[in-house]
């Protein structure tokens, strides 16, 4: 395949050599699966590789004192966190600890964060690892409303919610009966009442088959393994219902009218080993009829699994053959699809082929027609299946009828026209589907457009999150940064305008217009029941071997210059920040006791620990706050 080489400085290999190095390994792996892939078209046949032409890079710079146009909320992968970048500069503003321990903020250390994360009876964390994959905000009127951000934990099957006014996690729930929680997406509208046009549910896919219940039975009989799909209440973050399905679920998408939620699926065979997962010619995109499922739940047509009290409905293909009563619809798509995304007009779902050089376009109204008994075969819901290149993974949309799909094997972004793809599927040989291609560096995974998962897609930027960086940045050892690339999609040709190195492993991101996000700068002290509201209230209270220290901070002093406890005491420190100045945060650390956390203006946090080491321990402020920051200390005196 002929490609136009993009000039770079200090390159060890040219673009073709770098891409061939990675693609050779990829093709070798695919050859082992005995699957053939059609080659992508050369330049001039179905769209040329874009060079971007002459680029004014200064157009994308954000100078000192200026603010960016967009927030980009990104999953942190196996760090267990969420990250906030801003665009177009690519600057990292904040890392939000969610499923991980963070010794700066004190997440996983303070009593408040431990309560959210979940603990064993002895107060130790139940889990201290996480794997965030997908982040999605809440909606009102089909666009982001700035209330919440929802994120999954693939390892331990948990869903978390981040408040966007404080950019901090406020709830975490472990889902029952699942393993490998991957896809997640909020709803945008109630399935029965269009007046409820905001997020009330969050849908969660389960990727790994397990015995149900997974309590030691059926270990050696994979034919009895299964998956369930979970609907979670957006406010309580508790499961409303679950639906047992065939196949492993990957990503999730929700319709704008609230009627359907879907997940692309692989391993519809239900295999437990690689060879058994590759037997069928096709897998599926499963659609769940939300109103019918909730009617079945209300009517008690459910069962439960193990100790879980969550009602479960049967959404397997065998139990849903009659469209008139079916809860689910399995639309066949090419083998091992990866990713499903809905267009901003709500008309189409795009499934990427991964092992097929195609994308499958499924019409929303045709899926509804199948549920109404007006289609003979679910496959009739497919309205286009264009050949776009090698290794399609994820698709995003602009506001002009174009779809942008990441090509993992080709290391490209391909821009294709939705209506032209439909015409070509109907037999119009003159329809030009692919209109542009752009080389990225290298092996793109997720791709996303500015406001592209809302009705307000603006068609300005596309972000390509690439799994390999290789020689794009200065070397930092065997573990390279990954490469998030900013692409201008506002014109006919895509333009690569910025590289941002990102810490492993960002999996998904969402680009939100900055005016949507309204944050708090100072907390309300009255929101904290245990707040120490006056420096005069600083004190030490003892109840047997339990000691509570009530403490305030106000730059540059703590409310107590010292406090005394005895060896073996169970000590709880409650600290309230009395400063009212924006950005004036205090830290609190105790040497040798694993205590370190911050308290923002007017906020209260607490920690509990055993004072098991006699001696003098200087409690000091870890977050620079004042010219006399180094002098901001208190002494913990532990008697032997």
């Amino acid at each position: 395949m002929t490609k136009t080489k993009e000039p770079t400085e200090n390159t060890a290999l040219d673009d073709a050599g770098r891409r061939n190095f990675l693609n050779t390994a990829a093709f070798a792996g695919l050859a082992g699966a005995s699957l053939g892939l059609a080659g992508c078209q050369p330049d001039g046949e179905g769209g040329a590789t874009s060079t971007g032409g002459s680029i004014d890079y200064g157009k994308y710079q954000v100078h000192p004192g200026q603010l960016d146009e967009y927030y980009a909320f990104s999953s942190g992968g196996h760090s267990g966190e969420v990250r906030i970048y801003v665009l177009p500069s690519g600057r990292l503003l904040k890392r939000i600890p969610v499923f991980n321990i963070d010794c700066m903020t004190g997440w996983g250390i303070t009593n408040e964060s431990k309560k959210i994360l979940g603990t064993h009876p002895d107060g130790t964390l139940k889990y201290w690892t996480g794997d965030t994959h997908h982040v999605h905000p809440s909606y009102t009127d089909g666009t982001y409303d700035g209330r919440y951000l929802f994120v999954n934990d693939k390892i331990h099957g948990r869903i978390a919610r981040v408040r966007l006014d404080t950019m901090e996690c406020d709830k975490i729930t472990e889902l029952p009966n699942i393993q490998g929680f991957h896809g997640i997406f909020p709803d945008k509208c109630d399935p029965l009442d269009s007046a409820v046009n905001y997020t009330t549910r969050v849908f969660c896919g389960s990727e790994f088959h397990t015995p149900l219940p997974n309590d030691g039975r059926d270990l050696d009989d994979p034919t009895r393994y299964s998956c369930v799909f979970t609907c979670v209440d957006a406010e309580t973050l508790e499961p409303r219902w679950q639906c047992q399905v065939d196949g492993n679920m990957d990503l999730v998408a929700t319709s704008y009218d609230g009627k359907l939620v879907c997940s692309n699926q692989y391993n519809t065979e239900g295999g437990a080993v690689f060879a058994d997962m590759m037997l069928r010619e096709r897998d599926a995109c499963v659609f769940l009829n939300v109103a019918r499922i909730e009617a079945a739940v209300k009517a008690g047509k459910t069962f439960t699994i193990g100790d879980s009290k969550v009602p479960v409905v049967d959404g397997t293909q065998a139990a849903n053959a009659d469209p008139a009563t079916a809860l689910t619809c399995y639309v066949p798509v090419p083998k091992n699809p990866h990713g499903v995304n809905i267009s901003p007009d709500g008309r189409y779902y795009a499934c990427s082929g991964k092992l097929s050089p195609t994308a499958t376009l499924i019409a929303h109204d045709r899926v509804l027609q199948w549920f109404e008994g007006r289609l003979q075969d679910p496959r009739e819901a497919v309205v286009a299946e264009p050949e776009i290149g090698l290794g399609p993974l994820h698709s995003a949309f602009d506001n002009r009828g174009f779809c942008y799909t990441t090509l993992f094997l080709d290391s490209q972004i391909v821009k294709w026209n939705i209506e032209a793809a439909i015409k070509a599927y109907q037999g119009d040989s003159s329809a030009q589907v692919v209109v542009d291609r752009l080389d990225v560096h290298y092996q793109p995974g997720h791709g996303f457009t500015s406001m592209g998962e809302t009705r307000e897609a603006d068609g300005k930027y596309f972000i390509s999150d690439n799994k390999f960086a290789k020689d794009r940045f200065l070397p930092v050892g065997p573990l390279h940064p990954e490469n998030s690339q900013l692409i201008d999609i506002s014109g006919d040709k895509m333009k690569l305008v910025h590289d941002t190195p990102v810490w492993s492993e960002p999996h998904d991101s969402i680009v939100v217009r900055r005016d949507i996000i309204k944050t708090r700068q100072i907390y309300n002290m009255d929101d904290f029941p245990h707040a120490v509201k006056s420096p005069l209230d600083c004190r030490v209270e003892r109840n047997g071997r339990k000691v509570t220290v009530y403490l305030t901070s106000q730059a540059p002093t703590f409310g107590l210059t010292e406090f005394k406890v005895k060896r073996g005491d169970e000590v709880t420190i409650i600290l309230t920040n009395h400063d009212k100045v924006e950005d004036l945060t205090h830290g609190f650390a105790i040497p040798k006791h694993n205590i370190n956390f911050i308290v923002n203006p007017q906020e209260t946090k607490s920690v509990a620990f055993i004072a098991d080491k006699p001696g003098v321990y200087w409690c000091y402020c870890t977050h620079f706050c004042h010219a006399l920051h180094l002098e901001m200390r208190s002494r913990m005196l532990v008697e032997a």
Side-chain angles (χ1 to χ4, degrees):
M1 176 175 174
T2 304
K3 299 185 185 296
T4 302
K5 184 170 71 175
E6 177 187 324
T8 57
E9 294 182 356
N10 301 322
T11 53
L13 299 168
D14 62 18
D15 283 355
R18 288 177 289 200
R19 186 173 297 104
N20 288 341
F21 170 80
L22 292 165
N23 283 359
T24 300
F27 277 118
L30 292 175
S34 300
L35 294 171
L37 292 176
C40 77
Q41 296 167 319
D43 296 352
E45 299 179 27
T49 303
S50 176
T51 62
S54 177
I55 299 175
D56 177 12
Y57 292 101
K59 174 182 176 182
Y60 310 99
Q61 294 178 357
V62 179
H63 296 285
Q66 293 183 344
L67 300 179
D68 283 85
E69 298 177 64
Y70 301 92
Y71 289 90
F73 297 94
S74 178
S75 62
H78 32 274
S79 71
E81 64 189 18
V82 170
R83 299 163 189 165
I84 306 174
Y85 295 91
V86 285
L87 301 174
S89 72
R91 295 179 293 200
L92 173 65
L93 293 193
K94 186 173 183 177
R95 297 167 57 189
I96 305 173
V98 180
F99 301 112
N100 56 309
I101 296 173
D102 182 70
C103 63
M104 189 276 282
T105 63
W107 190 257
I109 299 171
T110 63
N111 296 331
E112 293 78 13
S113 61
K114 283 184 174 182
K115 183 177 180 180
I116 294 171
L117 280 161
T119 61
H120 293 294
D122 65 357
T124 59
L125 290 176
K126 186 175 182 182
Y127 307 112
W128 54 89
T129 57
D131 186 15
T132 55
H133 275 228
H134 297 283
V135 290
H136 292 287
S138 54
Y139 286 79
T140 297
D141 289 329
T143 194
Y144 305 136
D145 58 18
R147 290 187 300 145
Y148 298 129
L149 185 79
F150 302 95
V151 62
N152 72 308
D153 170 25
K154 182 171 179 176
I155 298 179
H156 305 303
R158 293 177 292 176
I159 179 174
R161 188 177 71 191
V162 173
R163 285 180 49 169
L164 289 178
D165 63 340
T166 60
M167 305 291 187
E168 294 176 338
C169 176
D170 75 335
K171 280 184 180 293
I172 293 176
T173 299
E174 184 175 352
L175 304 180
N177 307 318
I178 72 161
Q179 202 171 112
F181 169 22
H182 192 190
I184 179 174
F185 216 100
D187 71 354
K188 307 179 184 78
C189 185
D190 189 89
L192 298 177
D193 185 358
S194 60
V196 183
N197 61 343
Y198 53 85
T199 293
T200 58
R201 307 164 180 81
V202 186
F203 296 103
C204 312
S206 173
E207 191 176 348
F208 303 151
H209 283 77
T210 63
L212 295 176
N214 191 17
D215 59 2
R217 69 187 73 183
D218 302 322
L219 297 178
D220 299 318
D221 186 3
T223 63
R224 300 183 65 85
Y225 294 6
S226 192
C227 285
V228 294
F229 188 92
T230 307
C231 174
V232 170
D233 188 279
E235 290 301 324
T236 66
L237 221 63
E238 293 300 319
R240 288 187 175 195
W241 49 261
Q242 293 185 311
C243 179
Q244 186 175 0
V245 298
D246 301 317
N248 298 141
M249 288 166 283
D250 184 25
L251 269 69
V252 173
T254 59
S255 64
Y256 281 87
D257 60 9
K259 294 180 179 180
L260 299 177
V261 57
C262 66
S263 176
N264 62 295
Q265 295 184 297
Y266 68 95
N267 189 28
T268 52
E269 302 89 342
V273 297
F274 179 80
D276 292 341
M277 298 179 187
M278 309 300 292
L279 298 176
R280 294 180 179 173
E281 288 296 320
R282 285 176 172 162
D283 279 312
C285 184
V286 60
F287 288 83
L288 285 71
N289 189 312
V290 180
R292 287 189 184 179
I293 289 176
E294 298 197 349
V297 171
K298 186 176 181 180
K301 299 177 180 180
T302 62
F303 57 95
T304 58
I305 299 172
D307 295 333
S308 170
K309 300 296 188 281
V310 178
V312 184
V313 297
D314 188 346
T316 59
Q317 196 164 4
N320 291 272
D322 182 2
T325 58
L327 307 180
T328 55
C329 172
Y330 292 79
V331 177
V333 298
K335 190 66 184 159
N336 289 74
H338 194 75
V340 59
N341 302 87
I342 190 169
S343 57
D345 59 11
R347 298 173 63 191
Y348 305 109
Y349 304 87
C351 278
S352 297
K354 191 169 77 172
L355 297 188
S356 168
T358 58
T360 301
L361 206 62
I362 301 170
H364 175 71
D365 60 349
R366 290 204 182 186
V367 178
L368 293 177
Q369 288 171 21
W370 184 88
F371 279 112
E372 294 166 359
R374 295 164 57 193
L375 294 185
Q376 293 291 321
D377 189 328
R379 178 69 184 174
E380 295 177 40
V382 175
V383 295
E385 205 159 65
E387 182 176 314
I388 57 176
L390 297 181
L393 292 188
H394 297 282
S395 294
F397 303 89
D398 65 14
N399 55 351
R400 299 182 297 277
F402 293 104
C403 185
Y404 302 78
T405 302
T406 59
L407 302 178
F408 183 80
L409 297 182
D410 275 334
S411 285
Q412 285 187 334
I413 309 304
V414 58
K415 176 182 177 180
W416 54 281
N417 185 283
I418 295 172
E419 293 304 322
I422 295 172
K423 291 178 181 178
Y425 194 70
Q426 294 170 343
D428 184 351
S429 59
S430 66
Q432 184 178 358
V433 179
V434 175
V435 297
D436 195 20
R437 300 180 186 275
L438 181 69
D439 293 344
V440 292
H441 311 272
Y442 308 88
Q443 267 51 43
H446 275 274
F448 39 96
T449 52
S450 47
M451 297 294 292
E453 293 193 307
T454 75
R455 292 195 186 279
E456 298 183 0
D458 58 27
K460 294 184 69 174
Y461 292 115
F462 180 93
I463 307 298
S464 178
D465 275 346
N466 307 320
K467 298 304 182 184
F468 295 88
K470 283 177 64 62
D471 47 18
R472 296 295 284 187
F473 308 111
L474 287 173
V476 289
L479 178 61
H480 293 247
E482 296 185 14
N483 189 7
S484 181
Q485 294 189 299
L486 179 69
I487 299 168
D488 185 338
I489 60 170
S490 60
D492 292 335
K493 292 291 184 181
M494 295 180 283
K495 297 179 180 180
L496 176 58
V497 299
H498 195 270
D499 280 13
T500 298
V502 288
W503 177 246
S504 299
E505 186 236 12
H507 197 84
D508 185 26
S509 300
I510 294 295
V511 180
V512 181
R513 220 174 46 241
R514 73 183 189 189
D515 63 280
I516 292 173
I517 305 299
K518 309 293 184 184
T519 63
R520 299 174 64 175
Q521 303 305 314
I522 298 175
Y523 282 92
N524 182 350
M525 192 181 293
D526 292 334
D527 290 342
F528 302 94
H530 301 296
V532 185
K533 293 193 173 182
S534 168
L536 298 177
D537 293 330
C538 292
R539 64 195 186 277
V540 178
E541 291 183 353
R542 175 177 290 277
N543 182 7
R545 297 310 301 268
K546 295 185 177 182
V547 176
T548 303
V549 180
Y550 297 87
L551 196 60
T552 60
S553 64
Q554 191 163 17
T557 61
F558 291 112
L560 295 175
T561 58
E562 64 182 50
F563 57 93
K564 186 175 291 185
V565 299
K566 297 178 181 179
R567 181 180 184 179
D569 282 347
E570 180 182 326
V571 181
T572 298
I573 295 177
I574 300 173
L575 176 62
T576 300
N577 183 348
H578 276 247
D579 281 301
K580 298 180 181 180
V581 179
E582 177 181 335
D583 201 24
L584 212 170
T585 294
H586 294 301
F588 189 83
I590 306 177
K592 313 300 183 182
H593 286 79
N594 277 323
I595 300 300
N596 190 19
F597 62 99
I598 60 170
V599 185
N600 293 297
Q602 300 290 289
E603 185 182 25
T604 298
K605 287 182 180 176
S606 64
V607 293
F609 60 96
I610 302 297
D612 56 356
K613 306 174 186 68
V616 175
Y617 298 94
W618 286 99
C619 309
Y620 67 98
C621 179
T622 54
H623 210 85
F624 194 92
C625 60
H626 191 273
L628 297 176
H629 165 71
L630 293 181
E631 288 78 10
M632 188 170 174
R633 286 183 279 173
S634 178
R635 286 184 300 162
M636 180 174 72
L637 308 177
V638 183
E639 297 178 329

